[in-house]
Structures are given as structure tokens and as C-alpha cells.
Amino acid sequence: MERGARVVRSTADVCETDASAYWTDAVCSAFVPVRVRPTAPAPLHGRVEHVNLDGLGFTLVRSGAQRVDRTRTLIARGGGDDVLANIQLTGEGRVGQDGRRALLTPGAMTLVDSTRPYTLEFAGPFSQLVVQVPRDRMARRSLARATAVALDPDGPARLVADFLVGLERRQRADPRAAASLVPHAAGLLDCAAGWAQEATPGRASASALTRERVHDVLRRHARDPRLDVDTAAAACGISRRTLFRVLAEHGESFGALLRTLRVDHARRLLRAAPERTVASVAYACGFGGESQLHRAFRAVTGLTPGAYRAGAVLAADGTDRQ
């Protein structure tokens, strides 16, 4: 699918007898393989609108009473390693994962990890915006204590939900403006994951707090070419061994986190300053040179910096063909 191209699938386009099967296929195509079954006598009907914004999926779902299961068997068949932010727009939904269940009312949001089993249940008509973020785009890689936690619409997470809903709407009217805002989405969802963990009983621990300090140092100093493990550990007041251990407990590594943050900075510069040379961008983002940026950029995005910049320009013109 072309980046920036909106794909719409609706059961209104098929006959009644094929509606439920078509709906299941539409949901699986938009997200990951799941089992969908109606919880009311009538066949399933619904509409999915999906758009890919710079590698992040934004999907509007409107449908009726149903249950969605992501099982271990389906996970074994494949699918992405993604974080899903489910934002309830209308109706109510229940989300279950990691032994927790969240009730979603309009304006509430919860996070789901696509690599572990989960369930979604809707007792009646509903609509959601689901934002799908590859895990390597988020600094916080472990969501074990953040999934299926309802982030209240009256709390700070409402700011994140409103930003994501507004970004999806802006893409319809002004794709170029929407593209310039996309880099902020993963960071905001990382904040939401932190709030969800804080809302989970028993979350606080010395290890978790240390990890937060490490992430903070990396975010603030990623563009400094002198930043290494020893420097970061000293800034956190811990040993390098402790730093490695704390990150490993959450499936993270210092090198991968630093590389992703620097590439994220490079992505923003490549888009915002097309007149800058790739070498200049590399040095501005903490890389030792253009070749280091090329290797890191390809590892994170699958593209070279030049190809990414060309694609960003085309997307801004509404003519992206990547």
C-alpha cells in the first residue's frame, strides 16, 4: 500500500452472506491475524479506514457487537511486533491482556502488545481509532505492566488521545502538515505507557526508576557524539553493569536505544531541512559520519537517508510511490 494512501473496506460492498467473513479479513489486513466473531445474532457489519503515516498505522474502525481474540496460535503464524493504542470514540469496549481488563468509554485509551494474546469485546455499536506503532519506534520496549490499563479521558492521557485523533483528521485535509507531526506520536505514546505503568499496582521498583533515568539521559543527550555507556551510567549515578542489567530486564539494549533516538532526530532533520547534506545531518544527530548514519538508518527504517528524504518530499506533495 502506498504511504499516505487511505484504504477503505466496508461490508456494504459485499452481500449479506459474505459480510462476517469479509469483516474478519478486513480487520486482519488492517492489524494482525485475529479471530473475530459476532456476539449478536445478526452478521457482522463494519467499516475500516486505514492510512499509513511514516510507518505508523492509523485505523478508524466502526462496527457492531463482537469479540476479537489474538491467540498464541495466531501469534505463531506471524504478524508485526507492534504497540496498539486503542482510543474509544463511541460506544464501549473491554480490552483484556496480561491478566488485566480495561473498560473503555468514549475518550479513554488503552495500550495492547501485538506479540502476546489479547481480547477485545464490544457489546454494541462502537467506533475506535487504533494507532499501530512498530516497537522499535518507541523508547519504552516492554509493555508488560502497561497493557489493558484504561487511561481515563479526564486524565493527562486525554491530551495524547486528542493529538492522535486530530492527527488522523488532519491527514485527510492536509497530508503535509500531518506528516510533519507524525514524529511526535511515538514519543507521546511512550509517555502514555509510562502513565499506564504508574496506574498498575506494584509497578514501582528501584529497577524501574533507574531505567527511567537511563531513558531520560538518552533522550536529552542522544545527539552528543561523546555519549556512550560510561557517560550515561555516570549521569545516572550507576555502574555500567547496572545500566546493562536494568535495560536487559525489559528486553532493551543501550546501543539499540541510542541508535533509534539518533535516527529519529535524523528523520526530522531530513524532512525539515532538505537543503542540508546527509553528512551534516549525520554529525548533527551524534553519528561519527555519513556511513554510520547510513547503516543505522537502514537498520531502523529499511531505507537509506536519501531514499527517505525523497519519499518524504513526495508524500508532502501527495504523490508518494514508495
Side-chain angles (χ1 to χ4, degrees):
M1 185 186 74
E2 297 176 4
R3 293 184 180 183
R6 187 172 290 267
V7 174
V8 179
R9 298 187 67 180
S10 171
T11 55
D13 298 330
V14 299
C15 63
E16 183 80 1
T17 55
D18 295 333
S20 291
Y22 183 87
W23 179 247
T24 296
D25 182 61
V27 171
C28 292
S29 296
F31 305 111
V32 290
V34 292
R35 184 175 66 231
V36 185
R37 54 188 174 89
T39 55
L44 277 173
H45 290 280
R47 177 184 174 91
V48 169
E49 295 183 44
H50 178 85
V51 63
N52 185 307
L53 296 179
D54 195 17
L56 275 60
F58 286 73
T59 307
L60 273 176
V61 182
R62 299 181 179 89
S63 191
Q66 61 193 272
R67 178 184 171 108
V68 178
D69 289 281
R70 173 81 163 148
T71 65
R72 295 189 185 280
T73 300
L74 292 171
I75 292 170
R77 293 178 185 173
D81 183 1
D82 301 314
V83 177
L84 306 177
N86 293 58
I87 303 169
Q88 197 74 18
L89 302 178
T90 62
E92 290 188 354
R94 293 185 182 275
V95 179
Q97 188 170 47
D98 297 321
R100 291 181 294 274
R101 288 176 61 81
L103 172 64
L104 297 184
T105 55
M109 176 174 66
T110 194
L111 301 178
V112 173
D113 185 339
S114 72
T115 65
R116 298 197 301 281
Y118 63 79
T119 62
L120 307 173
E121 295 179 88
F122 305 95
F126 73 95
S127 61
Q128 279 191 345
L129 172 66
V130 183
V131 182
Q132 191 168 356
V133 184
R135 192 180 306 272
D136 61 12
R137 295 285 292 274
M138 294 183 66
R140 191 183 309 270
R141 301 301 172 83
S142 174
L143 294 179
R145 293 185 297 272
T147 56
V149 175
L151 294 168
D152 192 87
D154 296 324
R158 183 60 181 264
L159 297 173
V160 179
D162 285 349
F163 174 84
L164 296 172
V165 171
L167 182 57
E168 191 277 336
R169 290 173 179 167
R170 175 51 53 185
Q171 193 278 335
R172 300 164 183 264
D174 190 348
R176 183 171 185 172
S180 69
L181 293 170
V182 169
H184 302 290
L188 288 172
L189 282 173
D190 201 61
C191 289
W195 295 330
Q197 286 186 334
E198 291 168 4
T200 304
R203 201 278 308 183
S205 69
S207 176
L209 293 174
T210 299
R211 176 174 170 271
E212 290 300 321
R213 293 204 304 273
V214 173
H215 277 253
D216 182 61
V217 167
L218 284 171
R219 282 191 292 266
R220 288 189 290 113
H221 301 289
R223 284 171 285 185
D224 186 344
R226 297 167 297 179
L227 182 65
D228 57 16
V229 174
D230 292 323
T231 305
C236 295
I238 58 176
S239 68
R240 58 180 289 149
R241 180 179 179 181
T242 298
L243 185 149
F244 283 130
R245 175 181 57 78
V246 166
L247 293 181
E249 288 175 357
H250 296 82
E252 299 169 338
S253 75
F254 179 87
L257 288 173
L258 182 58
R259 179 182 64 187
T260 298
L261 287 169
R262 286 176 171 170
V263 167
D264 285 344
H265 286 307
R267 289 155 66 100
R268 288 192 283 273
L269 276 181
L270 288 166
R271 180 185 295 113
E275 73 283 357
R276 295 188 68 157
T277 65
V278 174
S280 171
V281 170
Y283 291 120
C285 296
F287 292 101
E290 186 173 344
S291 61
Q292 287 188 10
L293 172 60
H294 269 271
R295 289 194 297 271
F297 206 94
R298 184 179 287 277
V300 174
T301 70
L303 299 171
T304 66
Y308 175 82
R309 171 178 272 168
V313 171
L314 288 172
D317 293 337
T319 56
D320 188 5
R321 291 294 180 269
Q322 289 190 30

